[in-house]
Amino acid sequence: MKLWDKGISIDKKIEQFTVGNDREIDLHIAKYDVKASLAHAKMLRHIGILTDDELILLEQGLKGLAQQIEKGFFTIEPQFEDVHSKIEFELTTSLGEVGKKIHTARSRNDQVLVALHLFYKDHLKEIKTKTKTFFDTLLSLSDTHKNSLLPGYTHLQVAMPSSFGLWFSAYAEQLIDDVFLLDAALKTVDQNPLGSAAGYGSSFPINREFTTKELGFSTLKYNVVAAQMSRGKSERTLALALGSLCNTMSRFAMDICLYNSQNFGFIAFPDQLTTGSSIMPHKKNPDVFELIRGKCNKIQALHTEMVLITNNLPSGYHRDFQLLKENSIAAVEDVKDILDIFNYTIQKVIVKDIDLTDEKYQHLFTVDSINNLVIEGMSFREAYQTIGKQVQEGTYTSDSGKSHTHEGSIGNLCLEEIKAKFPK
């Protein structure tokens, strides 16, 4: 049942420890292993290792397995070490000796690599699509609420006037930077490692350009040692990109939790989107945003984990790499769920009217007052000291008549320009 079985009995405790929960994790990459196996079989026919009839049989067998996976019928039983041994067993069971030929010129190492690269590619594209949806939602909210003023804070102290339009579009533009990193991660994994075998290539005359084109990779990882070394490098790059996106969402979720609290009272959500307390009947808790914050912070720790697992490993394959899969795959799936729920809930936000004449906001417009004095001819330093003295003496009167017109300010959000910046 093992691809490396030489007929030697393995200690059950050793086997259990080394396999871990690979069977469960491998269900996420099963369809990609089938896809890569089909491309590999076509390449073997291309170089004359397989006959036309053998390729036809393998194509039928692999397409049958792909259908099982798609319908959710595919399982990896305890007697199998991983998805790769399960697929080869199924092909051998149904096709006989032809099934055994699928492993020709391959190692389990490059099977895992190519399946993971394909998984990351597909899901990074999906995450980019979901991020764009979230981005569009935030720009729409920004436009809808562009004239609704909001106190701006520094050091959690009332600072200067802001707006809901500025707030929503700020996080929208932050997502653009996150997509730059997602694109970098996508470019990193969009290199075909298949054919590197155990990390040192093969004496078979394989055609790696063939499988690169067949699997839709932009290029191949030419050096076979470099291909194996991409295990870990890909996960570190992926984790960095996901962490950046999660940092944006975590900070936004924190803003929402603050602004939703009674002490701020800037926004609210329908009761159906909040949760209650087991003993306090008045509670309407923003649990969904607290969980978004927590999950995003957890995902931001992934990069450190990936670095520590791989940081001082020499070239070549090491079993440590097995530990990269579980949390990388889980993070990818979690980010997709977070983007979906964030986009769903933020569309239902209730923006409240804020009374900026309230005493706690009396100094919100001091900078505008200083600027008015400067325009009237006073130096900035003198104007600053004048308004500062009024604040200290309690004689300052708020002046909210100053317009902000420069690019990216309250009065000029540049939403179309931000929209145009989003990577195609």
Side-chain angles (χ1 to χ4, degrees):
M1 299 298 182
K2 299 177 181 62
L3 298 181
W4 50 270
D5 192 350
K6 297 183 290 290
I8 301 172
S9 180
I10 302 300
D11 186 296
K12 290 299 179 184
K13 286 188 177 181
I14 299 297
E15 181 179 10
Q16 184 176 2
F17 182 78
T18 55
V19 171
N21 60 346
D22 250 22
R23 300 180 190 92
E24 293 82 2
I25 300 167
D26 278 3
L27 289 174
H28 289 276
I29 61 171
K31 77 172 189 177
Y32 300 103
D33 191 74
V34 168
K35 182 178 180 180
S37 294
L38 182 56
H40 184 70
K42 290 179 179 179
M43 185 276 296
L44 291 178
R45 173 65 197 100
H46 180 72
I47 65 172
I49 299 291
L50 294 177
T51 66
D52 287 338
D53 290 341
E54 287 173 330
L55 176 58
I56 290 171
L57 288 173
L58 285 170
E59 284 181 322
Q60 291 172 349
L62 289 166
K63 287 177 181 177
L65 289 172
Q67 290 175 354
Q68 286 184 36
I69 294 166
E70 186 177 355
K71 293 177 180 178
F73 299 150
F74 183 83
T75 57
I76 305 173
E77 294 82 0
Q79 64 265 33
F80 297 103
E81 191 173 24
D82 52 34
V83 66
H84 318 292
S85 53
K86 164 72 173 183
I87 287 173
E88 185 170 325
F89 173 83
E90 291 294 340
L91 290 175
T92 302
T93 299
S94 60
L95 304 177
E97 290 299 312
V98 177
K100 297 178 182 179
K101 292 187 176 185
I102 193 64
H103 201 61
T104 305
R106 277 200 309 184
S107 166
R108 184 170 61 166
N109 291 351
D110 63 344
Q111 278 187 263
V112 177
L113 261 176
V114 71
L116 284 171
H117 277 227
L118 290 169
F119 173 87
Y120 295 145
K121 262 189 68 175
D122 265 10
H123 290 267
L124 280 168
K125 289 177 181 177
E126 190 176 351
I127 286 170
K128 279 185 60 179
T129 299
K130 291 178 183 294
T131 302
K132 178 61 163 61
T133 299
F134 190 35
F135 171 84
D136 289 341
T137 295
L138 294 182
L139 283 190
S140 176
L141 286 168
S142 177
D143 188 49
T144 299
H145 301 289
K146 61 187 175 185
N147 296 319
S148 300
L149 288 183
L150 172 73
Y153 289 79
T154 63
H155 308 277
L156 280 180
Q157 306 290 306
V158 172
M160 289 180 64
S162 181
S163 70
F164 282 100
L166 203 60
W167 183 54
F168 286 122
S169 59
Y171 281 104
E173 192 163 7
Q174 285 288 297
L175 291 174
I176 295 174
D177 296 339
D178 300 328
V179 173
F180 291 155
L181 291 180
L182 290 173
D183 279 339
L186 184 56
K187 193 168 185 177
T188 299
V189 300
D190 195 14
Q191 303 175 81
N192 179 23
L194 186 58
S196 58
Y200 298 97
S202 171
S203 58
F204 287 102
I206 58 175
N207 187 328
R208 298 186 64 209
E209 293 284 0
F210 183 97
T211 54
T212 298
K213 183 177 181 181
E214 191 71 25
L215 291 170
F217 284 106
S218 294
T219 185
L220 60 83
K221 200 76 171 180
Y222 289 96
N223 185 294
V224 290
V225 176
Q228 279 299 315
M229 289 173 69
S230 70
R231 189 91 181 266
K233 186 70 170 286
S234 297
E235 284 76 10
R236 290 195 301 274
T237 308
L238 173 79
L240 184 66
L242 295 182
S244 179
L245 176 58
C246 284
N247 177 267
T248 298
M249 293 193 289
S250 178
R251 294 182 70 181
F252 191 21
M254 182 63 201
D255 274 6
I256 291 168
C257 290
L258 280 177
Y259 291 178
N260 183 67
S261 69
Q262 291 89 340
N263 295 71
F264 286 80
F266 298 160
I267 59 174
F269 289 89
D271 291 350
Q272 302 92 314
L273 300 186
T274 63
T275 60
S277 162
S278 62
I279 63 170
M280 295 173 283
H282 66 282
K283 295 298 289 296
K284 297 177 182 178
N285 300 323
D287 282 12
V288 65
F289 298 104
E290 293 173 349
L291 286 171
I292 287 172
R293 183 177 60 198
K295 285 174 179 285
C296 284
N297 290 341
K298 181 181 177 182
I299 291 168
Q300 288 181 76
L302 181 66
H303 182 257
T304 300
E305 179 183 332
M306 298 297 101
V307 168
L308 291 177
I309 290 174
T310 62
N311 196 42
N312 59 352
L313 294 180
S315 60
Y317 176 78
H318 310 278
R319 193 64 179 263
D320 311 52
F321 292 143
Q322 179 178 318
L323 304 178
L324 301 171
K325 282 194 300 185
E326 181 174 9
N327 288 342
S328 293
I329 290 172
V332 165
E333 298 292 356
D334 282 346
V335 167
K336 292 191 299 180
D337 290 341
I338 291 167
L339 283 165
D340 283 341
I341 196 66
F342 214 149
N343 187 65
Y344 174 78
T345 51
I346 199 62
Q347 291 181 69
K348 296 173 174 56
V349 66
I350 300 166
V351 170
K352 295 184 178 181
D353 291 327
I354 302 170
D355 181 10
L356 295 184
T357 63
D358 189 290
E359 184 181 356
K360 61 178 169 286
Y361 304 129
Q362 63 178 318
H363 299 140
L364 189 64
F365 295 94
T366 57
V367 176
D368 288 344
S369 298
I370 292 170
N371 293 347
N372 284 337
L373 292 178
V374 171
I375 289 174
E376 291 171 4
M378 192 179 291
S379 71
F380 178 83
R381 185 53 53 206
E382 185 181 359
Y384 177 89
Q385 291 170 349
T386 298
I387 298 299
K389 183 178 180 181
Q390 292 176 11
V391 170
Q392 292 297 321
E393 294 176 347
T395 60
Y396 173 73
T397 302
S398 180
D399 179 3
S400 59
K402 188 70 177 171
S403 298
H404 295 210
T405 58
H406 68 75
E407 295 90 337
S409 64
I410 300 174
N412 184 8
L413 294 176
C414 295
L415 298 185
E416 287 303 316
E417 289 81 355
I418 293 172
K419 185 175 182 180
K421 269 178 66 178
F422 197 95
K424 299 295 184 289

